[in-house]
Amino acid sequence: MPRGASERGISVGIHDLEVATSHFVVSLSELAEHNGTDPAKYLIGLGQREMSFPAPDEDAVTIGAEAAAELLARTGVEGITTLLFATESGIDQSKAAGLWVHRLLGLPASMRVAEVKQACYGGTAALQAAAGMVARAPQERVLVIASDVARYALDSPGEPTQGAGAVAMLVSAAPALVELDPVSGRFTAEVDDFWRPNGMLEALVDGELSVAAYLDGVESSWLDLAARGGPSVERLAAILFHQPFGKMAQKGLRRLSSVVGRDLDGAGNTAGEAINSRMGNSYAASVYAALAGLLEYGLGEEPLSTGDRIGWFSYGSGSVSEFLTGTVGPAATTRSGSGGIAAKLDARAALGVPEYRALHTARGETPEVTDRLLPRTTRGRFRLAEVRGGARRYEGV
Ligand code: COA
C-alpha cells in the first residue's frame, strides 16, 4: 500500500500551514472616530477590531511569498511539483502571481505554477485541485498559497472590512495537520453580489445581497454534504466559516443551527475570529486563517486533540460555496498556544487614519502600468521594488 494509503483510500490533506499579513495596521476605533461612526458598529456590529493594510511595496505576491517562505523553512521543498496561487487581487491579467513567488523562493524549475480565481473561494478550489494531484501521485506535494489584499472605496460600507493576509499550505499524503474527508458539500449559483471588472482596483459590492448569498451557500452546501453522507454536526468539534468580517461567521453559524435544528452556539464554534478580527478580510485566505487561529487558540481554553473532526465553510461571491470536513492530525496539538500569529499581528506598524487615507488614495490614482521605483517601506522579507514597462520586479532582503 503506498505511503498515506488506508482502507478509505489515500489519506490527503494539509500537512502544514503558515499565515502572513501586511506591514501596516489601522485601528477601527480610530477609523470610526474619524468617520463620526459609533465604534460599536465596527467592533460589535461587524465584529472587527483592526485591519491590515499593505505598504506601497507590498501586494498579494509579497505577502504570499512571506507565508510560503516560513512554511518551506520547516517542510523543505522536496517533492513539491506544483504551486497553486489563489487570489482575487491578482496583479496581472495573464501571468500567474505564483511565478514571482517561485523565483523569490528559488523553487525548482521542474514544477508547474498556476493561478486560481473564484473570489474568496479560490483557496478552497486550489486546495481541492492539490488534493486531487496528490491522490493521483502520493509521493508528490503541492504548495497552495491563498493571498489577498481586500480593498474597498474610502467611505464605503465595505471600508471597515478591508484587510490583507495570506495562508500558505503544503498539501501531501499522510498529512500531519488536517486529513481531508473525501466527501464535501458544494453549491454554485451565479449572482451579482460582488465583482471587480477588468481595470478596476476596487470591487463593486451589493453588500446585502452578498450576505444573503453567503447564507444560502451555508444552507445549500451543508444539505449537499448531508446528502453525500457527510458527518453529522454532532461529530464536529469545531466549525469554521469564511470571515469577510467576524459577525458573518456568527450569522453563518446561526443559519446552520436553523438548518440542523440544533443550537450550535458554543465555545470554539466560531474559532478563528481572534485572528480575522485583527487582520480583516483576507478573501481567499480568510477561512484558512481561521483554521490557523483554531489551531493556535484551540476551542476556548482547550487545544484540539488528534482525531477531532472539524468542518469549514468556504464561500466566494459570484458564487461558489463548499462545506468541507477533516480530521485533525498530531501536529495540530503542537501549535496550540504558540502565539505565533498573534506575534505577527502585534508586529505590524500602526498607521493613523489620515496617513492610511493618503496611501489608499495614492494607490488608487497610480495606474498599474506607471513606471516607478518603490522606496522600501515594508519590513517584510519580500517587496515590490520597481514597475517598468508594466513589468513588476520584486526583491528579497
Ligand atoms: N452598535 C452595534 N451594532 C451596530 C451599530 C451600533 N452602533 N450600528 C450598526 N450595528 C450593526 C447592525 O445592526 C448590523 O448588524 P446585523 O447585521 O447583525 O443586523 C451591523 O452592525 C452592520 O450594520 P449595517 O448597517 O448592516 O452595515 P452596512 O450597511 O454599513 O454594511 C456590509 C455592512 C457587510 C454590507 C458592508 O460592510 C459590506 O458591504 N462589506 C463588504 C461585502 C461583504 O463582506 N459581504 C459579506 C459576504 S461575502
Side-chain angles (χ1 to χ4, degrees):
M1 213 180 287
R3 180 178 164 268
S6 72
E7 283 173 4
R8 295 185 334 134
I10 299 281
S11 140
V12 178
I14 303 167
H15 184 66
D16 199 352
L17 94 180
E18 196 51 70
V19 177
T21 188
S22 62
H23 174 69
F24 286 124
V25 59
V26 178
S27 153
L28 291 191
S29 302
E30 288 178 28
L31 183 66
E33 194 181 335
H34 182 275
N35 292 346
T37 303
D38 179 354
K41 173 170 178 180
Y42 296 165
L43 304 181
I44 298 163
L46 294 176
Q48 293 300 111
R49 289 164 55 196
E50 299 169 351
M51 59 188 192
S52 287
F53 189 79
D57 55 346
E58 287 181 317
D59 59 18
V61 169
T62 63
I63 301 169
E66 179 87 36
E70 207 175 328
L71 174 75
L72 297 181
R74 287 198 297 270
T75 63
V77 299
E78 195 194 335
I80 297 180
T81 58
T82 305
L83 162 54
L84 298 177
F85 194 108
T87 187
E88 60 175 299
S89 46
I91 36 75
D92 194 282
Q93 290 291 316
S94 173
K95 186 172 171 179
L99 283 164
W100 286 283
V101 175
H102 180 270
R103 193 177 62 73
L104 286 169
L105 300 185
L107 294 173
S110 57
M111 283 179 60
R112 61 174 81 84
V113 178
E115 191 164 305
V116 177
K117 179 181 70 177
Q118 183 5 65
C120 306
Y121 172 74
T124 298
L127 174 63
Q128 290 288 31
M133 289 176 187
V134 172
R136 194 179 68 166
Q139 73 284 5
E140 297 186 1
R141 304 195 291 175
V142 177
L143 175 61
V144 170
I145 301 175
S147 181
D148 267 310
V149 174
R151 179 184 161 98
Y152 298 97
L154 292 176
D155 304 317
S156 69
E159 184 185 15
T161 70
Q162 294 177 113
V167 176
M169 298 181 268
L170 190 64
V171 178
S172 75
L177 214 50
V178 181
E179 179 185 337
L180 295 173
D181 285 334
V183 170
S184 67
R186 300 176 290 265
F187 177 69
T188 287
E190 196 271 326
V191 55
D192 284 328
D193 62 331
F194 179 111
W195 63 109
R196 185 162 68 87
N198 287 343
M200 286 193 69
L201 199 55
E202 280 141 19
L204 301 170
V205 194
D206 182 335
E208 210 175 314
L209 182 59
S210 73
V211 171
Y214 176 115
L215 295 175
D216 283 350
V218 170
E219 177 163 345
S220 301
S221 61
W222 176 265
L223 292 175
D224 190 55
L225 177 67
R228 291 173 193 281
S232 66
V233 79
E234 289 79 11
R235 290 178 59 206
L236 300 178
I239 303 172
L240 301 168
F241 288 85
H242 165 55
Q243 290 185 38
F245 51 95
K247 184 69 144 324
M248 198 64 238
Q250 296 166 22
K251 288 177 192 281
L253 191 66
R254 273 207 301 277
R255 173 62 73 94
L256 186 60
S257 296
S258 76
V259 173
V260 299
R262 182 174 169 222
D263 184 3
L264 299 171
D265 270 343
N269 276 332
T270 50
E273 286 176 38
I275 293 198
N276 293 41
S277 68
R278 297 190 62 195
M279 196 158 80
N281 197 352
S282 56
Y283 289 160
S286 165
V287 73
Y288 298 98
L291 173 59
L294 174 68
L295 295 170
E296 184 159 317
Y297 291 97
L299 297 165
E301 299 295 295
E302 295 292 315
L304 285 174
S305 306
T306 304
D308 278 348
R309 180 169 265 109
I310 59 172
W312 63 103
F313 171 69
S314 179
Y315 175 77
S317 289
S319 68
V320 179
S321 301
E322 187 161 352
F323 227 113
L324 301 93
T325 59
T327 305
V328 166
T333 50
T334 63
R335 301 175 76 97
S336 172
S338 67
I341 308 173
K344 287 178 192 172
L345 293 167
D346 290 345
R348 293 169 298 176
L351 188 64
V353 174
E355 294 77 19
Y356 143 71
R357 288 179 64 93
L359 283 180
H360 193 290
T361 302
R363 177 77 188 87
E365 288 174 348
T366 312
E368 287 292 359
V369 292
T370 304
D371 283 356
R372 57 196 188 277
L373 281 171
L374 290 110
R376 172 173 288 283
T377 307
T378 179
R379 286 192 295 256
R381 67 185 102 183
F382 304 108
R383 62 182 293 272
L384 174 63
E386 183 179 16
V387 178
R388 181 111 5 240
R392 300 167 85 87
R393 184 173 65 77
Y394 292 87
E395 64 182 18
V397 289

mmCIF file of all heavy atoms in Angstrom, residues 38 40-41 44-46 152 157-158 161 205 207-208 210-211 214 242 244-245 247-248 251 315 317, ligand 1:
data_model
loop_
_atom_site.group_PDB
_atom_site.id
_atom_site.type_symbol
_atom_site.label_atom_id
_atom_site.label_comp_id
_atom_site.label_asym_id
_atom_site.label_seq_id
_atom_site.Cartn_x
_atom_site.Cartn_y
_atom_site.Cartn_z
ATOM 1 N N ASP A 38 -20.312 55.343 15.306
ATOM 2 C CA ASP A 38 -20.220 54.730 16.631
ATOM 3 C C ASP A 38 -19.247 53.544 16.526
ATOM 4 O O ASP A 38 -19.502 52.620 15.741
ATOM 5 C CB ASP A 38 -21.623 54.256 17.046
ATOM 6 C CG ASP A 38 -21.625 53.579 18.415
ATOM 7 O OD1 ASP A 38 -20.538 53.378 18.993
ATOM 8 O OD2 ASP A 38 -22.737 53.231 18.880
ATOM 9 N N ALA A 40 -18.930 51.038 18.166
ATOM 10 C CA ALA A 40 -19.594 49.751 18.417
ATOM 11 C C ALA A 40 -20.096 49.122 17.116
ATOM 12 O O ALA A 40 -20.224 47.896 17.017
ATOM 13 C CB ALA A 40 -20.747 49.937 19.400
ATOM 14 N N LYS A 41 -20.367 49.942 16.118
ATOM 15 C CA LYS A 41 -20.826 49.363 14.841
ATOM 16 C C LYS A 41 -19.735 48.475 14.253
ATOM 17 O O LYS A 41 -20.021 47.382 13.757
ATOM 18 C CB LYS A 41 -21.192 50.467 13.854
ATOM 19 C CG LYS A 41 -21.492 49.875 12.482
ATOM 20 C CD LYS A 41 -22.078 50.802 11.485
ATOM 21 C CE LYS A 41 -22.264 50.047 10.170
ATOM 22 N NZ LYS A 41 -22.830 50.835 9.112
ATOM 23 N N ILE A 44 -18.678 45.640 17.381
ATOM 24 C CA ILE A 44 -19.715 44.660 17.727
ATOM 25 C C ILE A 44 -20.573 44.330 16.501
ATOM 26 O O ILE A 44 -20.789 43.168 16.168
ATOM 27 C CB ILE A 44 -20.599 45.186 18.879
ATOM 28 C CG1 ILE A 44 -19.713 45.390 20.132
ATOM 29 C CG2 ILE A 44 -21.748 44.230 19.193
ATOM 30 C CD1 ILE A 44 -20.336 46.261 21.202
ATOM 31 N N GLY A 45 -21.025 45.391 15.822
ATOM 32 C CA GLY A 45 -21.917 45.184 14.663
ATOM 33 C C GLY A 45 -21.250 44.350 13.577
ATOM 34 O O GLY A 45 -21.879 43.471 12.982
ATOM 35 N N LEU A 46 -19.966 44.631 13.282
ATOM 36 C CA LEU A 46 -19.239 43.849 12.272
ATOM 37 C C LEU A 46 -18.309 42.813 12.905
ATOM 38 O O LEU A 46 -17.867 41.881 12.236
ATOM 39 C CB LEU A 46 -18.407 44.777 11.366
ATOM 40 C CG LEU A 46 -19.196 45.745 10.472
ATOM 41 C CD1 LEU A 46 -18.238 46.663 9.713
ATOM 42 C CD2 LEU A 46 -20.080 44.997 9.470
ATOM 43 N N TYR A 152 -11.607 48.274 -0.526
ATOM 44 C CA TYR A 152 -12.884 48.890 -0.902
ATOM 45 C C TYR A 152 -12.679 50.401 -0.935
ATOM 46 O O TYR A 152 -11.677 50.917 -0.413
ATOM 47 C CB TYR A 152 -13.994 48.549 0.107
ATOM 48 C CG TYR A 152 -14.298 47.068 0.200
ATOM 49 C CD1 TYR A 152 -13.737 46.290 1.201
ATOM 50 C CD2 TYR A 152 -15.144 46.459 -0.718
ATOM 51 C CE1 TYR A 152 -14.010 44.934 1.288
ATOM 52 C CE2 TYR A 152 -15.425 45.100 -0.632
ATOM 53 C CZ TYR A 152 -14.851 44.339 0.371
ATOM 54 O OH TYR A 152 -15.123 42.995 0.448
ATOM 55 N N PRO A 157 -19.446 51.309 2.606
ATOM 56 C CA PRO A 157 -19.777 50.368 3.697
ATOM 57 C C PRO A 157 -18.719 49.276 3.867
ATOM 58 O O PRO A 157 -18.511 48.772 4.963
ATOM 59 C CB PRO A 157 -21.117 49.765 3.252
ATOM 60 C CG PRO A 157 -21.679 50.725 2.270
ATOM 61 C CD PRO A 157 -20.520 51.413 1.612
ATOM 62 N N GLY A 158 -18.058 48.907 2.781
ATOM 63 C CA GLY A 158 -17.050 47.845 2.872
ATOM 64 C C GLY A 158 -15.749 48.298 3.516
ATOM 65 O O GLY A 158 -14.941 47.458 3.927
ATOM 66 N N THR A 161 -14.170 46.659 6.456
ATOM 67 C CA THR A 161 -13.934 45.208 6.320
ATOM 68 C C THR A 161 -12.735 44.925 5.416
ATOM 69 O O THR A 161 -12.555 43.800 4.957
ATOM 70 C CB THR A 161 -15.182 44.463 5.786
ATOM 71 O OG1 THR A 161 -15.383 44.814 4.414
ATOM 72 C CG2 THR A 161 -16.420 44.815 6.575
ATOM 73 N N VAL A 205 -19.834 46.031 -4.953
ATOM 74 C CA VAL A 205 -20.466 45.125 -3.991
ATOM 75 C C VAL A 205 -21.923 45.486 -3.779
ATOM 76 O O VAL A 205 -22.255 46.663 -3.604
ATOM 77 C CB VAL A 205 -19.792 45.220 -2.591
ATOM 78 C CG1 VAL A 205 -20.229 44.047 -1.720
ATOM 79 C CG2 VAL A 205 -18.296 45.293 -2.686
ATOM 80 N N GLY A 207 -23.786 44.705 -0.835
ATOM 81 C CA GLY A 207 -23.490 44.130 0.466
ATOM 82 C C GLY A 207 -24.603 43.241 0.997
ATOM 83 O O GLY A 207 -24.363 42.122 1.461
ATOM 84 N N GLU A 208 -25.833 43.741 0.898
ATOM 85 C CA GLU A 208 -26.967 42.984 1.435
ATOM 86 C C GLU A 208 -27.132 41.655 0.696
ATOM 87 O O GLU A 208 -27.332 40.596 1.298
ATOM 88 C CB GLU A 208 -28.236 43.835 1.266
ATOM 89 C CG GLU A 208 -29.278 43.590 2.319
ATOM 90 C CD GLU A 208 -30.438 44.559 2.132
ATOM 91 O OE1 GLU A 208 -30.208 45.770 1.934
ATOM 92 O OE2 GLU A 208 -31.573 44.072 2.162
ATOM 93 N N SER A 210 -24.809 40.074 -0.870
ATOM 94 C CA SER A 210 -23.671 39.174 -0.589
ATOM 95 C C SER A 210 -23.890 38.417 0.714
ATOM 96 O O SER A 210 -23.549 37.241 0.825
ATOM 97 C CB SER A 210 -22.343 39.939 -0.565
ATOM 98 O OG SER A 210 -22.215 40.727 0.598
ATOM 99 N N VAL A 211 -24.486 39.085 1.698
ATOM 100 C CA VAL A 211 -24.774 38.403 2.969
ATOM 101 C C VAL A 211 -25.829 37.309 2.735
ATOM 102 O O VAL A 211 -25.680 36.169 3.202
ATOM 103 C CB VAL A 211 -25.246 39.420 4.035
ATOM 104 C CG1 VAL A 211 -25.767 38.711 5.274
ATOM 105 C CG2 VAL A 211 -24.102 40.374 4.403
ATOM 106 N N TYR A 214 -24.298 34.391 0.739
ATOM 107 C CA TYR A 214 -23.413 33.624 1.630
ATOM 108 C C TYR A 214 -24.245 32.649 2.468
ATOM 109 O O TYR A 214 -23.930 31.458 2.584
ATOM 110 C CB TYR A 214 -22.650 34.622 2.502
ATOM 111 C CG TYR A 214 -21.730 34.076 3.573
ATOM 112 C CD1 TYR A 214 -20.365 34.292 3.502
ATOM 113 C CD2 TYR A 214 -22.225 33.404 4.691
ATOM 114 C CE1 TYR A 214 -19.502 33.832 4.496
ATOM 115 C CE2 TYR A 214 -21.378 32.943 5.692
ATOM 116 C CZ TYR A 214 -20.017 33.157 5.596
ATOM 117 O OH TYR A 214 -19.189 32.703 6.583
ATOM 118 N N HIS A 242 -15.839 31.113 6.409
ATOM 119 C CA HIS A 242 -15.189 32.227 5.706
ATOM 120 C C HIS A 242 -15.596 33.507 6.426
ATOM 121 O O HIS A 242 -16.766 33.698 6.753
ATOM 122 C CB HIS A 242 -15.655 32.245 4.247
ATOM 123 C CG HIS A 242 -15.334 33.527 3.548
ATOM 124 N ND1 HIS A 242 -14.053 34.028 3.485
ATOM 125 C CD2 HIS A 242 -16.111 34.429 2.899
ATOM 126 C CE1 HIS A 242 -14.064 35.175 2.827
ATOM 127 N NE2 HIS A 242 -15.303 35.441 2.461
ATOM 128 N N PRO A 244 -15.497 37.365 5.997
ATOM 129 C CA PRO A 244 -15.297 38.711 5.449
ATOM 130 C C PRO A 244 -15.288 39.742 6.589
ATOM 131 O O PRO A 244 -14.693 40.797 6.470
ATOM 132 C CB PRO A 244 -16.491 38.914 4.513
ATOM 133 C CG PRO A 244 -17.509 37.902 4.952
ATOM 134 C CD PRO A 244 -16.759 36.765 5.548
ATOM 135 N N PHE A 245 -15.987 39.403 7.648
ATOM 136 C CA PHE A 245 -15.957 40.142 8.918
ATOM 137 C C PHE A 245 -16.517 39.171 9.957
ATOM 138 O O PHE A 245 -17.250 38.239 9.617
ATOM 139 C CB PHE A 245 -16.759 41.457 8.843
ATOM 140 C CG PHE A 245 -18.157 41.310 8.322
ATOM 141 C CD1 PHE A 245 -19.224 41.169 9.178
ATOM 142 C CD2 PHE A 245 -18.402 41.293 6.954
ATOM 143 C CE1 PHE A 245 -20.519 41.010 8.701
ATOM 144 C CE2 PHE A 245 -19.699 41.142 6.456
ATOM 145 C CZ PHE A 245 -20.752 40.999 7.330
ATOM 146 N N LYS A 247 -18.734 39.066 12.302
ATOM 147 C CA LYS A 247 -20.163 38.851 12.507
ATOM 148 C C LYS A 247 -20.727 37.873 11.476
ATOM 149 O O LYS A 247 -21.696 37.164 11.750
ATOM 150 C CB LYS A 247 -20.868 40.217 12.417
ATOM 151 C CG LYS A 247 -22.354 40.233 12.686
ATOM 152 C CD LYS A 247 -22.643 39.954 14.135
ATOM 153 C CE LYS A 247 -23.790 40.669 14.774
ATOM 154 N NZ LYS A 247 -24.121 42.002 14.446
ATOM 155 N N MET A 248 -20.102 37.836 10.286
ATOM 156 C CA MET A 248 -20.602 36.947 9.234
ATOM 157 C C MET A 248 -20.489 35.487 9.676
ATOM 158 O O MET A 248 -21.368 34.668 9.367
ATOM 159 C CB MET A 248 -19.813 37.194 7.949
ATOM 160 C CG MET A 248 -20.458 36.695 6.680
ATOM 161 S SD MET A 248 -22.006 37.485 6.251
ATOM 162 C CE MET A 248 -23.078 36.052 6.184
ATOM 163 N N LYS A 251 -23.383 34.811 11.862
ATOM 164 C CA LYS A 251 -24.613 34.657 11.061
ATOM 165 C C LYS A 251 -24.627 33.278 10.400
ATOM 166 O O LYS A 251 -25.670 32.618 10.326
ATOM 167 C CB LYS A 251 -24.683 35.743 9.977
ATOM 168 C CG LYS A 251 -24.984 37.160 10.465
ATOM 169 C CD LYS A 251 -24.940 38.107 9.250
ATOM 170 C CE LYS A 251 -24.932 39.570 9.614
ATOM 171 N NZ LYS A 251 -26.247 40.099 9.958
ATOM 172 N N TYR A 315 -16.713 30.294 1.067
ATOM 173 C CA TYR A 315 -17.653 30.997 0.175
ATOM 174 C C TYR A 315 -16.901 31.989 -0.703
ATOM 175 O O TYR A 315 -16.046 32.738 -0.218
ATOM 176 C CB TYR A 315 -18.697 31.779 0.999
ATOM 177 C CG TYR A 315 -19.605 32.625 0.124
ATOM 178 C CD1 TYR A 315 -20.645 32.032 -0.587
ATOM 179 C CD2 TYR A 315 -19.398 33.999 -0.020
ATOM 180 C CE1 TYR A 315 -21.459 32.787 -1.417
ATOM 181 C CE2 TYR A 315 -20.221 34.762 -0.840
ATOM 182 C CZ TYR A 315 -21.257 34.146 -1.542
ATOM 183 O OH TYR A 315 -22.062 34.888 -2.364
ATOM 184 N N SER A 317 -17.955 34.955 -3.520
ATOM 185 C CA SER A 317 -19.050 35.667 -4.175
ATOM 186 C C SER A 317 -19.076 35.329 -5.654
ATOM 187 O O SER A 317 -18.070 35.034 -6.274
ATOM 188 C CB SER A 317 -18.871 37.177 -4.008
ATOM 189 O OG SER A 317 -19.107 37.546 -2.675
HETATM 190 N N1 COA B 1 -23.688 49.297 17.674
HETATM 191 C C1 COA B 1 -23.721 47.976 17.486
HETATM 192 N N2 COA B 1 -24.080 47.412 16.289
HETATM 193 C C2 COA B 1 -24.396 48.238 15.283
HETATM 194 C C3 COA B 1 -24.384 49.630 15.431
HETATM 195 C C4 COA B 1 -24.010 50.174 16.702
HETATM 196 N N3 COA B 1 -23.968 51.474 16.921
HETATM 197 N N4 COA B 1 -24.755 50.191 14.252
HETATM 198 C C5 COA B 1 -24.982 49.164 13.396
HETATM 199 N N5 COA B 1 -24.780 47.983 14.015
HETATM 200 C C6 COA B 1 -24.899 46.645 13.470
HETATM 201 C C7 COA B 1 -26.112 46.457 12.591
HETATM 202 O O1 COA B 1 -27.266 46.190 13.359
HETATM 203 C C8 COA B 1 -25.675 45.276 11.756
HETATM 204 O O2 COA B 1 -25.792 44.114 12.497
HETATM 205 P P1 COA B 1 -26.651 42.867 11.908
HETATM 206 O O3 COA B 1 -26.029 42.524 10.607
HETATM 207 O O4 COA B 1 -26.496 41.815 12.938
HETATM 208 O O5 COA B 1 -28.040 43.364 11.744
HETATM 209 C C9 COA B 1 -24.175 45.517 11.554
HETATM 210 O O6 COA B 1 -23.796 46.442 12.582
HETATM 211 C C10 COA B 1 -23.809 46.122 10.209
HETATM 212 O O7 COA B 1 -24.589 47.261 10.048
HETATM 213 P P2 COA B 1 -25.213 47.633 8.613
HETATM 214 O O8 COA B 1 -25.908 48.932 8.728
HETATM 215 O O9 COA B 1 -25.948 46.466 8.067
HETATM 216 O O10 COA B 1 -23.834 47.800 7.831
HETATM 217 P P3 COA B 1 -23.504 48.458 6.467
HETATM 218 O O11 COA B 1 -24.681 48.774 5.662
HETATM 219 O O12 COA B 1 -22.586 49.581 6.774
HETATM 220 O O13 COA B 1 -22.683 47.302 5.688
HETATM 221 C C11 COA B 1 -21.809 45.228 4.955
HETATM 222 C C12 COA B 1 -22.386 46.007 6.132
HETATM 223 C C13 COA B 1 -21.358 43.853 5.401
HETATM 224 C C14 COA B 1 -22.874 45.050 3.883
HETATM 225 C C15 COA B 1 -20.604 46.008 4.385
HETATM 226 O O14 COA B 1 -19.574 46.034 5.334
HETATM 227 C C16 COA B 1 -20.067 45.434 3.090
HETATM 228 O O15 COA B 1 -20.565 45.729 2.004
HETATM 229 N N6 COA B 1 -18.987 44.613 3.162
HETATM 230 C C17 COA B 1 -18.344 44.027 2.005
HETATM 231 C C18 COA B 1 -19.080 42.805 1.453
HETATM 232 C C19 COA B 1 -19.049 41.640 2.380
HETATM 233 O O16 COA B 1 -18.150 41.487 3.175
HETATM 234 N N7 COA B 1 -20.053 40.746 2.258
HETATM 235 C C20 COA B 1 -20.148 39.562 3.118
HETATM 236 C C21 COA B 1 -20.469 38.295 2.398
HETATM 237 S S1 COA B 1 -19.162 37.826 1.315
#
